[in-house]
């Protein structure tokens, strides 16, 4: 196994049929790893709701497409990690119902025990393959679908399959948003972007400095103009604990 000593002291380790799950703590931050050099999650212990990875900030920043008076009411997260995205959305959107999905029961247990994933009736956990979960879910009931499906060795190939994108489209409400977390290398796969545009005419994309390619996609929702998006960022940055516009402006670079 790769040395992960740079993440601090190992405080938990367990194995399931998919491999190892490790938790590290350096005194300031807590990390989740699947036994590779990539961090699955990072949480600042003094401010656990302040997202640390730029790609995670770019995913939740899609909320700037919604007016504060009409936030998404039903949210689905595919891929859980330490649960930092789910926890952040749970606290940012107190009226929202959140479903978070993962293949690994152990991931949920660790997220609750070591990363304070809420145990609450508004947040339900589902041990399931993401594609199967979408197939069995009620169509058109989700206002925000965040797909962050990574295995120990990289992106789950499921995400780039046309059937999976069809399932994402069916899961979303008419004005819902799909958020995909890919690697920047996937930008060269032009068929991926073409498939998305066929299903989601409204599409914004940005490449983060940590090497992720984040896409926001919707069937019918209007894209907020740049001025409106900037104003919303100014209003909501105090809650986020970071400068939202520094993340959102990348999605408007070519508009």
């Amino acid at each position: 196994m790769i040395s992960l000593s740079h993440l601090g002291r190992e405080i938990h380790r367990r194995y399931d049929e998919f491999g190892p799950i490790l938790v590290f703590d350096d005194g300031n931050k807590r990390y989740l790893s699947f036994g590779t050099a990539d961090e699955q999650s990072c949480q600042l212990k003094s401010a656990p709701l302040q997202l640390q990875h730029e790609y995670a900030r770019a995913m939740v920043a899609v909320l700037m497409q919604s007016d504060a008076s009409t936030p998404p009411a039903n949210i689905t997260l595919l891929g859980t990690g330490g649960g930092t995205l789910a926890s952040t959305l749970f606290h940012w959107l107190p009226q929202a119902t959140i479903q978070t999905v993962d293949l690994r029961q152990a991931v949920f247990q660790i997220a609750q025990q070591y990363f304070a994933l809420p145990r609450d009736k508004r947040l339900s956990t589902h041990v399931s393959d993401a594609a199967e979960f979408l197939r069995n879910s009620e169509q058109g009931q989700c206002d925000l679908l965040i797909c962050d499906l990574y295995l120990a060795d990289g992106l789950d190939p499921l995400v780039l399959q046309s059937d999976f994108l069809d399932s994402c489209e069916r899961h979303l409400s008419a004005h819902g948003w799909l958020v995909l977390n890919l690697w920047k290398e996937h930008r060269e796969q032009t068929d991926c972007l073409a498939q998305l545009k066929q299903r989601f005419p409204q599409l914004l994309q940005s490449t983060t400095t940590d090497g992720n390619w984040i896409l926001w996609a919707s069937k019918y929702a209007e894209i907020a103009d740049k001025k409106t998006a900037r104003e919303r960022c100014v209003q909501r940055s105090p809650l986020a604990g970071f400068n939202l516009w520094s993340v959102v402006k990348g999605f408007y670079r070519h508009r």
Side-chain angles (χ1 to χ4, degrees):
M1 187 179 295
I2 295 171
S3 173
L4 298 171
S5 58
H6 63 287
L7 297 180
R9 180 174 63 91
E10 182 182 316
I11 61 173
H12 182 81
R13 175 190 296 229
R14 75 173 68 180
Y15 294 85
D16 63 10
E17 64 268 37
F18 300 102
I21 309 173
L22 300 93
V23 181
F24 294 87
D25 193 310
D26 67 4
N28 184 38
K29 294 179 180 180
R30 188 161 284 182
Y31 304 90
L32 181 74
S33 170
F34 292 159
T36 66
D38 291 323
E39 301 166 14
Q40 294 296 324
S41 293
C42 173
Q43 187 177 66
L44 182 64
K45 293 167 66 176
S46 62
L49 300 180
Q50 184 189 92
L51 295 170
Q52 297 300 295
H53 291 139
E54 186 183 352
Y55 72 84
R57 295 178 175 189
M59 284 192 284
V60 299
V62 72
L63 294 176
M64 299 309 104
Q65 294 301 318
S66 302
D67 185 89
S69 63
T70 55
N74 295 291
I75 300 171
T76 300
L77 293 93
L78 304 178
T80 303
T84 51
L85 278 176
S87 295
T88 296
L89 290 167
F90 177 86
H91 289 283
W92 283 13
L93 304 171
Q95 304 306 316
T97 299
I98 300 170
Q99 302 182 93
T100 183
V101 181
D102 205 279
L103 270 176
R104 309 170 76 169
Q105 176 68 47
V107 164
F108 290 127
Q109 295 168 347
I110 289 171
Q112 290 169 338
Q113 183 175 355
Y114 291 96
F115 295 89
L117 179 68
R119 301 173 187 262
D120 189 276
K121 63 182 181 181
R122 285 201 298 116
L123 195 158
S124 58
T125 60
H126 304 267
V127 180
S128 175
D129 170 79
E132 181 179 353
F133 175 83
L134 292 178
R135 283 195 299 269
N136 294 329
S137 295
E138 181 183 350
Q139 294 186 19
Q141 56 86 38
C142 178
D143 303 310
L144 174 58
L145 173 58
I146 296 181
C147 180
D148 189 23
L149 291 173
Y150 279 81
L151 308 173
D153 56 354
L155 180 74
D156 188 332
L158 170 74
V159 178
L160 302 176
Q161 296 175 8
S162 59
D163 287 351
F164 178 75
L165 295 177
D166 286 339
S167 294
C168 289
E169 180 186 8
R170 287 194 299 272
H171 190 62
L172 282 172
S173 60
H175 296 278
W177 284 92
L178 168 66
V179 177
L180 294 177
N181 176 23
L182 307 178
W183 280 342
K184 62 181 180 182
E185 290 79 5
H186 295 114
R187 291 178 305 183
E188 312 307 319
Q189 299 181 11
T190 54
D191 62 322
C192 172
L193 207 52
Q195 285 195 61
L196 277 167
K197 287 181 176 178
Q198 287 174 5
R199 297 165 175 82
F200 304 100
Q202 305 284 40
L203 188 65
L204 292 169
Q205 56 181 301
S206 180
T207 303
T208 66
T209 56
D210 45 13
N212 293 69
W213 185 37
I214 309 299
L215 298 108
W216 301 345
S218 180
K219 290 181 285 187
Y220 303 114
E222 284 189 23
I223 293 175
D225 62 70
K226 190 173 182 178
K227 180 176 181 292
T228 298
R230 188 195 294 266
E231 290 172 349
R232 290 173 179 172
C233 287
V234 171
Q235 293 167 358
R236 303 178 201 179
S237 287
L239 175 63
F242 59 89
N243 183 346
L244 276 162
W245 181 244
S246 69
V247 177
V248 171
K249 65 183 179 183
F251 291 90
Y252 286 84
R253 191 159 289 134
H254 302 295
R255 292 191 66 82

